[in-house]
Amino acid sequence: MKSDEFIVGVDVGGTKILSVVVNNEFEIVSRCRKKTKGWVKDTNPENKIIQTIEESVEQAGNPKIVGIGIGAPGPVDPKNGIVINTPNLGWENFPIADILSKHFAVPVVLDNDVNLGTYAEWLLGKNKEAKHVVGVFPGTGIGGGLIVNRKIVHGASGGAGEVGHITLQIDGPLCGCGKRGCLEALASRIAITREIAALILRGESTYLTDKVGTDVSKIRSSVIADAIDHGEKKVEDIVRKAAYLTGVAIANLINIMSPELVILGGGLIEALGKIYQEEIQRAVKEHAMPFLRKKVSIEIGKLGDDAVALGAALLCAKKNDKL
Ligand SMILES: [Zn+2]
């Protein structure tokens, strides 16, 4: 990329759209974020995305934009720029890249949001020489991204990398996907919250009873971290178990893919990174084959909420030979 060329990266999520403008060093020069409550019911859902992009470009002083990258949840068809199915947003076969490319008259690339988060943490992190990378993002759900030979893996369906739906307990608790015993059903923030709510109801967590009462929606990752800092041992045990199970899934992936780098991100990692690192390292030691695990570095991502939008901008630059 030349110094007067800029790229827009967009993260389209269930609750917000984030649009960033980056320079040729992939530094963010402007950022626009909009809440998306109710917007999916609009007849033209792209309008809100267009508006967010335009505001971010305006804030950057209307520089020359040479491309746009978009990250969206759910499986995508990256070749044709189509979001295949995103129940959260109500989109089915939505040709978002084509619509935006026509509107802004620049190339537009699309990929799954977790793939792009993994992509950015890898290429903007200290292990960018790695060729094989696994990204695991535990939060409300548990997302995954796979990179093999420096390329994002989509598989035959477009939806490869569903780390959260690795089965860890046959006949285990019901998952949002309809199966039982998925990692996500056992170790996502929703699963952790369910167990902590039971602790509160049994009167076994004084700190959380005072803090959240019976309103389980207040059990955010940061509140869980606070409870542990206040010595709530049973809360810590619940988190350690979830982190360990996440580590077992990662160990399975190490055995299959033999990556050099595993990147951890998402809300639970941001709030409880130390516990997650410890338990994941323990699980990998116990469940990954020694020959394969020796080569792996397990790192916590540094980009936070910007990861997906930055990954979208990076992928756009790469596909248009600007990287
Ligand atoms: Zn599942």
Short mmCIF file of all heavy atoms in Angstrom, two decimals, residues 164-166 174-185, ligand 1:
data_model
loop_
_atom_site.label_atom_id
_atom_site.label_comp_id
_atom_site.label_asym_id
_atom_site.label_seq_id
_atom_site.Cartn_x
_atom_site.Cartn_y
_atom_site.Cartn_z
N GLY A 164 -16.19 -24.32 18.88
CA GLY A 164 -17.16 -24.36 19.98
C GLY A 164 -18.08 -25.56 19.93
O GLY A 164 -18.73 -25.89 20.92
N HIS A 165 -18.12 -26.23 18.77
CA HIS A 165 -19.06 -27.36 18.66
C HIS A 165 -18.35 -28.70 18.56
O HIS A 165 -18.92 -29.69 18.10
CB HIS A 165 -20.04 -27.09 17.51
CG HIS A 165 -20.78 -25.81 17.75
ND1 HIS A 165 -21.82 -25.72 18.65
CD2 HIS A 165 -20.53 -24.56 17.31
CE1 HIS A 165 -22.21 -24.45 18.73
NE2 HIS A 165 -21.46 -23.73 17.92
N ILE A 166 -17.10 -28.73 19.03
CA ILE A 166 -16.43 -30.01 19.25
C ILE A 166 -17.16 -30.70 20.39
O ILE A 166 -17.41 -30.09 21.44
CB ILE A 166 -14.95 -29.78 19.65
CG1 ILE A 166 -14.16 -29.23 18.45
CG2 ILE A 166 -14.32 -31.06 20.21
CD1 ILE A 166 -12.71 -28.89 18.79
N LEU A 174 -27.51 -29.48 26.55
CA LEU A 174 -27.95 -29.07 25.22
C LEU A 174 -27.23 -27.79 24.79
O LEU A 174 -27.06 -26.86 25.59
CB LEU A 174 -29.47 -28.82 25.26
CG LEU A 174 -30.20 -28.74 23.93
CD1 LEU A 174 -30.07 -30.05 23.15
CD2 LEU A 174 -31.67 -28.42 24.18
N CYS A 175 -26.81 -27.75 23.52
CA CYS A 175 -26.10 -26.59 22.99
C CYS A 175 -27.05 -25.77 22.11
O CYS A 175 -28.07 -26.29 21.64
CB CYS A 175 -24.92 -27.10 22.16
SG CYS A 175 -23.91 -25.80 21.43
N GLY A 176 -26.70 -24.52 21.87
CA GLY A 176 -27.50 -23.66 21.00
C GLY A 176 -27.63 -24.22 19.59
O GLY A 176 -28.57 -23.89 18.86
N CYS A 177 -26.69 -25.06 19.17
CA CYS A 177 -26.70 -25.62 17.81
C CYS A 177 -27.66 -26.81 17.70
O CYS A 177 -27.88 -27.32 16.60
CB CYS A 177 -25.30 -26.06 17.41
SG CYS A 177 -24.76 -27.57 18.23
N GLY A 178 -28.20 -27.27 18.82
CA GLY A 178 -29.14 -28.39 18.79
C GLY A 178 -28.51 -29.72 19.22
O GLY A 178 -29.21 -30.68 19.50
N LYS A 179 -27.16 -29.76 19.26
CA LYS A 179 -26.48 -30.99 19.71
C LYS A 179 -26.33 -30.95 21.23
O LYS A 179 -26.59 -29.94 21.87
CB LYS A 179 -25.07 -31.08 19.11
CG LYS A 179 -25.01 -31.26 17.63
CD LYS A 179 -23.62 -31.81 17.22
CE LYS A 179 -22.47 -30.88 17.55
NZ LYS A 179 -21.41 -31.47 18.33
N ARG A 180 -25.80 -32.03 21.76
CA ARG A 180 -25.52 -32.08 23.19
C ARG A 180 -24.02 -32.22 23.44
O ARG A 180 -23.32 -32.87 22.67
CB ARG A 180 -26.23 -33.27 23.85
CG ARG A 180 -27.69 -33.05 24.04
CD ARG A 180 -28.36 -34.15 24.85
NE ARG A 180 -29.76 -33.81 25.04
CZ ARG A 180 -30.19 -33.02 26.02
NH1 ARG A 180 -29.37 -32.54 26.91
NH2 ARG A 180 -31.48 -32.73 26.11
N GLY A 181 -23.57 -31.62 24.53
CA GLY A 181 -22.19 -31.85 24.99
C GLY A 181 -21.11 -31.13 24.22
O GLY A 181 -19.93 -31.48 24.32
N CYS A 182 -21.48 -30.09 23.44
CA CYS A 182 -20.45 -29.30 22.73
C CYS A 182 -19.62 -28.52 23.75
O CYS A 182 -20.11 -28.19 24.85
CB CYS A 182 -21.09 -28.27 21.81
SG CYS A 182 -22.07 -28.94 20.49
N LEU A 183 -18.39 -28.16 23.35
CA LEU A 183 -17.55 -27.29 24.19
C LEU A 183 -18.33 -26.05 24.62
O LEU A 183 -18.29 -25.66 25.80
CB LEU A 183 -16.29 -26.89 23.41
CG LEU A 183 -15.40 -25.83 24.07
CD1 LEU A 183 -14.81 -26.35 25.38
CD2 LEU A 183 -14.29 -25.38 23.12
N GLU A 184 -19.05 -25.45 23.68
CA GLU A 184 -19.78 -24.22 23.97
C GLU A 184 -20.86 -24.42 25.05
O GLU A 184 -21.09 -23.55 25.88
CB GLU A 184 -20.41 -23.72 22.67
CG GLU A 184 -20.95 -22.32 22.75
CD GLU A 184 -21.26 -21.75 21.36
OE1 GLU A 184 -20.33 -21.61 20.54
OE2 GLU A 184 -22.43 -21.46 21.11
N ALA A 185 -21.50 -25.60 25.03
CA ALA A 185 -22.54 -25.89 26.03
C ALA A 185 -21.93 -26.11 27.42
O ALA A 185 -22.60 -25.98 28.43
CB ALA A 185 -23.34 -27.11 25.61
ZN ZN B 1 -23.00 -26.99 19.61
#
